[in-house]
Protein backbone atom coordinates (compact mmCIF):
# COMPACT_ATOMS: atom_id res chain seq x y z
CA UNK A 1 0.00 0.00 0.00
CA UNK A 2 1.44 3.43 -0.81
CA UNK A 3 2.24 5.50 2.25
CA UNK A 4 -0.34 8.09 1.20
CA UNK A 5 -3.10 5.57 1.91
CA UNK A 6 -1.87 4.64 5.38
CA UNK A 7 -4.70 4.04 7.84
CA UNK A 8 -3.91 4.31 11.55
CA UNK A 9 -7.23 2.65 12.47
CA UNK A 10 -6.37 -0.76 11.09
CA UNK A 11 -8.01 -3.73 12.78
CA UNK A 12 -6.00 -5.22 15.63
CA UNK A 13 -3.75 -8.04 14.51
CA UNK A 14 -3.25 -6.80 10.95
CA UNK A 15 0.20 -6.32 9.50
CA UNK A 16 1.02 -2.74 8.55
CA UNK A 17 2.96 -2.36 5.32
CA UNK A 18 4.33 0.96 4.09
CA UNK A 19 5.69 1.24 0.56
CA UNK A 20 8.67 3.60 0.68
CA UNK A 21 9.49 5.89 -2.25
CA UNK A 22 12.74 3.97 -2.74
CA UNK A 23 10.75 0.80 -3.41
CA UNK A 24 11.44 -0.93 -0.10
CA UNK A 25 8.60 -2.28 1.99
CA UNK A 26 8.43 -1.34 5.68
CA UNK A 27 6.62 -4.05 7.62
CA UNK A 28 5.20 -3.62 11.11
CA UNK A 29 4.05 -7.05 12.21
CA UNK A 30 5.11 -7.33 15.85
CA UNK A 31 6.55 -5.45 18.82
CA UNK A 32 10.17 -4.49 19.59
CA UNK A 33 11.12 -3.65 16.00
CA UNK A 34 14.44 -1.86 15.46
CA UNK A 35 12.92 0.31 12.70
CA UNK A 36 9.91 1.48 14.76
CA UNK A 37 9.61 4.02 17.58
CA UNK A 38 7.02 6.02 19.46
CA UNK A 39 7.14 9.80 19.38
CA UNK A 40 5.88 11.97 22.22
CA UNK A 41 5.67 15.64 21.25
CA UNK A 42 7.48 17.95 23.65
CA UNK A 43 4.23 19.87 24.14
CA UNK A 44 2.71 16.73 25.71
CA UNK A 45 5.65 15.65 27.85
CA UNK A 46 4.86 17.49 31.08
CA UNK A 47 1.14 16.80 30.69
CA UNK A 48 1.91 13.08 30.53
CA UNK A 49 4.16 13.27 33.58
CA UNK A 50 1.57 15.29 35.53
CA UNK A 51 -1.22 12.88 34.53
CA UNK A 52 0.84 9.91 35.74
CA UNK A 53 1.38 11.69 39.08
CA UNK A 54 -2.28 12.65 39.49
CA UNK A 55 -4.04 9.64 37.97
CA UNK A 56 -1.63 6.83 38.84
CA UNK A 57 0.94 7.51 41.55
CA UNK A 58 -1.26 9.49 43.95
CA UNK A 59 -4.26 7.09 43.80
CA UNK A 60 -1.89 4.11 44.11
CA UNK A 61 -0.17 5.65 47.14
CA UNK A 62 -3.56 6.39 48.73
CA UNK A 63 -4.74 2.82 48.20
CA UNK A 64 -7.47 3.90 45.78
CA UNK A 65 -5.93 2.02 42.86
CA UNK A 66 -4.55 -1.52 42.53
CA UNK A 67 -1.10 -2.15 41.09
CA UNK A 68 -2.61 -3.74 37.95
CA UNK A 69 -5.04 -0.83 37.45
CA UNK A 70 -2.20 1.65 37.97
CA UNK A 71 -0.08 -0.09 35.32
CA UNK A 72 -2.91 -0.04 32.78
CA UNK A 73 -3.79 3.59 33.54
CA UNK A 74 -0.14 4.66 33.10
CA UNK A 75 0.12 2.80 29.80
CA UNK A 76 -3.09 4.40 28.54
CA UNK A 77 -1.82 7.88 29.44
CA UNK A 78 1.46 7.31 27.63
CA UNK A 79 -0.15 5.70 24.57
CA UNK A 80 -2.67 8.54 24.19
CA UNK A 81 0.19 11.04 23.85
CA UNK A 82 2.37 9.11 21.41
CA UNK A 83 2.44 8.60 17.67
CA UNK A 84 4.25 5.85 15.82
CA UNK A 85 7.18 6.31 13.48
CA UNK A 86 9.08 3.94 11.21
CA UNK A 87 12.38 4.14 9.36
CA UNK A 88 13.09 2.61 5.97
CA UNK A 89 16.10 0.35 6.37
CA UNK A 90 17.03 0.84 2.71
CA UNK A 91 17.10 4.63 2.31
CA UNK A 92 16.67 5.93 5.88
CA UNK A 93 13.42 7.82 5.25
CA UNK A 94 11.29 8.41 8.34
CA UNK A 95 7.53 7.90 8.28
CA UNK A 96 5.62 9.56 11.09
CA UNK A 97 1.98 9.10 11.99
CA UNK A 98 0.78 12.74 12.03
CA UNK A 99 -1.80 14.30 14.36
CA UNK A 100 -4.53 13.92 11.73
CA UNK A 101 -3.77 10.22 11.14
CA UNK A 102 -1.95 10.76 7.86
CA UNK A 103 1.51 9.33 7.32
CA UNK A 104 4.22 11.92 6.68
CA UNK A 105 7.53 11.03 5.04
CA UNK A 106 10.85 12.74 5.75
CA UNK A 107 13.77 11.81 3.52
CA UNK A 108 17.41 12.22 4.61
CA UNK A 109 19.36 14.86 2.73
CA UNK A 110 22.39 12.58 2.60
CA UNK A 111 22.38 8.95 1.44
CA UNK A 112 25.05 8.18 4.04
CA UNK A 113 22.75 9.02 6.98
CA UNK A 114 22.23 6.19 9.45
CA UNK A 115 19.40 3.83 8.72
CA UNK A 116 19.08 2.58 12.28
CA UNK A 117 18.38 5.75 14.27
CA UNK A 118 15.25 4.24 15.86
CA UNK A 119 17.08 1.17 17.19
CA UNK A 120 18.09 1.06 20.85
Amino acid sequence: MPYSSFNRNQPTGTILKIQCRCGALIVDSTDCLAHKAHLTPDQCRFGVLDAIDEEVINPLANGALSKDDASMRARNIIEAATRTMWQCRSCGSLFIDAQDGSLQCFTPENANNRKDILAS
Side-chain angles (χ1 to χ4, degrees), residues 1-70:
M1 110 181 22
Y3 71 89
S4 59
S5 64
F6 168 78
N7 179 2
R8 78 178 348 193
N9 297 317
Q10 293 191 132
T12 303
T14 60
I15 297 173
L16 173 73
K17 295 177 182 177
I18 302 168
Q19 184 71 54
C20 185
R21 291 178 179 166
C22 75
L25 189 63
I26 302 167
V27 179
D28 180 353
S29 60
T30 188
D31 295 325
C32 301
L33 297 172
H35 63 278
K36 178 181 175 183
H38 300 275
L39 169 72
T40 302
D42 195 58
Q43 294 168 319
C44 298
R45 184 170 173 247
F46 288 111
V48 167
L49 297 174
D50 290 343
I52 290 173
D53 287 345
E54 295 167 17
E55 298 178 35
V56 180
I57 294 173
N58 293 342
L60 184 63
N62 294 333
L65 199 60
S66 72
K67 180 179 180 266
D68 288 342
D69 288 339

Side-chain angles (χ1 to χ4, degrees), residues 54-116:
E54 295 167 17
E55 298 178 35
V56 180
I57 294 173
N58 293 342
L60 184 63
N62 294 333
L65 199 60
S66 72
K67 180 179 180 266
D68 288 342
D69 288 339
S71 294
M72 288 309 298
R73 194 175 285 185
R75 290 171 188 229
N76 289 336
I77 291 167
I78 293 166
E79 283 296 314
T82 62
R83 296 193 304 265
T84 309
M85 59 190 303
W86 303 264
Q87 185 178 32
C88 177
R89 290 180 275 182
S90 294
C91 71
S93 291
L94 288 175
F95 292 84
I96 302 174
D97 182 14
Q99 303 92 315
D100 64 1
S102 65
L103 191 63
Q104 300 295 308
C105 179
F106 298 87
T107 305
E109 61 183 49
N110 182 327
N112 294 324
N113 283 3
R114 294 190 56 170
K115 296 168 182 68
D116 63 350

